[in-house]
Amino acid sequence: MMDYKPAKINGVSFVASRDSISNKHIKPVVSLNANYVAVMPFGFIKELQHPEIVYNTGRQWFGETNDGVKQYIDEFNKEGLSVMLKPQIWVWRGEYTGNIKMDSEENWSSLETSYSKFILDYAQLAQEMKVEILCIGTELEQFIVHRPQFWKDLIGKIRSVYDGKLTYAANWDEFKSVPFWSQLDYIGVDAYFPISNSQTPTVEECLEGWLEHKVIIEMLSEQYSKPVLFTEFGYRSVDFSGKKPWDYDRNNQVANLEAQVNTTQALFETFWQEDWFAGGFVWKWFHDHEKSGGETNNQFTPQNKPVELLIQKQYKTF
């Protein structure tokens, strides 16, 4: 008799492109044995102290607009893939969203109004498109620390227009202090935890590096009786991939494919068999598979690298 393994959310974070997508762009996702896709429209903020979010404009790429989101979701659904809608904020020059913080009560109020409109528009779209999961925010630590009541009230408003599952994508160093996990369906974590200081970390080193983090993650899951979802996970194919996994500097460093494979394997071995762990979304996947990644690419994408085969095998098992 075969061992029964509960199905996981085996996801990819699908990057919005300039163009519509078709079956051609989705086949590689299906071949990966993924069953979920994160669709990620963007809103833009001029600077960390600026309270207005601009989104769904003619100046954005198609995949970042409402029409693009609907087209992507339709195409994924046709291929049997479920969707997490994950609207995100981009701060000009790529500054870290966790540091978005207003300098006056007036600006906080303006930001709350702007963010409410942004996320409620996508909640309505998620309801209309029958999206399985809505992620209500990504890595917004200072916004949450300073305005916790706003977020608790906002979740109530989202629930009034959308009846699917909710999560929030907390950064790896933020997830312990999020004040509203009890109101959501999944504890969402962008899982860029430091796990090894080695140039080419071994699987064993990474398994060891996960031990202290895993204890805390599991305790939080027990505390709230909620499953944990890695709203993002993944490693660059680069030296020291487990040291600062969040680092996305576009440097000319030579690719280290083994480092990416070993760190990813250790993450799978640490979490995917746990009942309290719901699964996750690998960061990140581009629509034009043939031209993405490759063995000289030192960025996050697993496409056309040895780690793609590892993920394919893992997702098939679960």
Side-chain angles (χ1 to χ4, degrees), residues 45-316:
I45 281 182
K46 281 183 189 169
E47 57 190 17
L48 294 170
Q49 288 81 37
H50 188 78
E52 187 192 357
I53 301 161
V54 176
Y55 65 101
N56 191 34
T57 72
R59 297 176 63 190
Q60 290 178 249
W61 283 8
F62 177 71
E64 295 176 347
T65 65
N66 288 13
D67 287 346
V69 168
K70 289 178 182 179
Q71 195 269 334
Y72 280 29
I73 293 169
D74 265 339
E75 293 299 316
F76 288 127
N77 287 165
K78 281 181 199 169
E79 300 300 322
L81 291 159
S82 298
V83 170
M84 175 172 75
L85 184 58
K86 188 167 177 267
Q88 296 189 210
I89 302 296
W90 179 262
V91 186
W92 196 49
R93 296 197 177 116
E95 292 195 76
Y96 177 50
T97 51
N99 294 330
I100 292 171
K101 182 178 161 188
M102 299 302 104
D103 54 9
S104 69
E105 181 61 30
E106 182 184 2
N107 281 348
W108 274 121
S109 183
S110 296
L111 177 63
E112 289 175 353
T113 300
S114 190
Y115 195 86
S116 294
K117 185 174 185 310
F118 171 70
I119 206 67
L120 286 167
D121 275 1
Y122 283 113
Q124 287 167 338
L125 189 154
Q127 181 69 13
E128 177 192 335
M129 302 298 293
K130 299 182 172 62
V131 165
E132 284 81 1
I133 304 172
L134 174 66
C135 184
I136 67 166
T138 297
E139 298 178 7
L140 295 168
E141 183 176 10
Q142 290 302 311
F143 190 177
I144 289 167
V145 165
H146 287 88
R147 312 298 280 191
Q149 193 56 49
F150 161 75
W151 283 90
K152 291 173 182 177
D153 295 342
L154 179 63
I155 292 165
K157 291 173 186 171
I158 292 168
R159 292 272 189 208
S160 73
V161 296
Y162 171 71
D163 58 17
K165 305 281 192 189
L166 296 181
T167 191
Y168 164 75
N171 200 21
W172 70 274
D173 58 353
E174 169 201 3
F175 77 100
K176 298 189 292 290
S177 60
V178 172
F180 47 72
W181 288 135
S182 62
Q183 292 178 263
L184 303 181
D185 299 289
Y186 298 102
I187 294 170
V189 185
D190 287 356
Y192 303 112
F193 295 84
I195 53 168
S196 167
N197 290 324
S198 297
Q199 183 173 352
T200 303
T202 65
V203 175
E204 289 71 26
E205 281 173 348
C206 296
L207 289 170
E208 183 86 13
W210 268 116
L211 291 174
E212 60 177 318
H213 302 306
K214 184 182 181 183
V215 169
I216 297 165
I217 296 167
E218 185 173 6
M219 278 171 55
L220 203 71
S221 176
E222 285 179 12
Q223 180 184 340
Y224 289 102
S225 299
K226 306 279 180 184
V228 172
L229 176 64
F230 282 175
T231 35
E232 295 174 21
F233 75 89
Y235 300 90
R236 287 181 58 189
S237 43
V238 73
D239 286 349
F240 302 101
S241 59
K243 188 174 183 179
K244 294 181 179 177
W246 60 87
D247 186 0
Y248 60 90
D249 284 353
R250 296 204 164 275
N251 55 44
N252 296 319
Q253 219 172 314
V254 175
N256 184 335
L257 302 167
E258 186 185 351
Q260 186 180 37
V261 167
N262 291 351
T263 45
T264 305
Q265 184 177 332
L267 184 145
F268 283 144
E269 286 186 21
T270 300
F271 291 100
W272 244 256
Q273 306 224 29
E274 298 292 351
D275 291 341
W276 49 267
F277 183 75
F281 294 83
V282 69
W283 187 263
K284 57 188 177 172
W285 194 273
F286 295 93
H287 78 296
D288 192 347
H289 183 63
E290 285 177 18
K291 294 181 181 174
S292 300
E295 299 204 346
T296 60
N297 175 284
N298 71 5
Q299 296 297 311
F300 281 96
T301 181
Q303 290 166 278
N304 301 302
K305 300 178 187 177
V307 76
E308 184 179 346
L309 297 175
L310 170 69
I311 296 167
Q312 183 184 53
K313 183 181 175 189
Q314 177 73 19
Y315 280 5
K316 187 177 184 181

Side-chain angles (χ1 to χ4, degrees), residues 15-32:
V15 180
S17 80
R18 298 174 190 270
D19 309 309
S20 59
I21 58 168
S22 67
N23 170 264
K24 178 185 115 173
H25 305 110
I26 298 171
K27 270 184 179 170
V29 178
V30 174
S31 296
L32 191 72

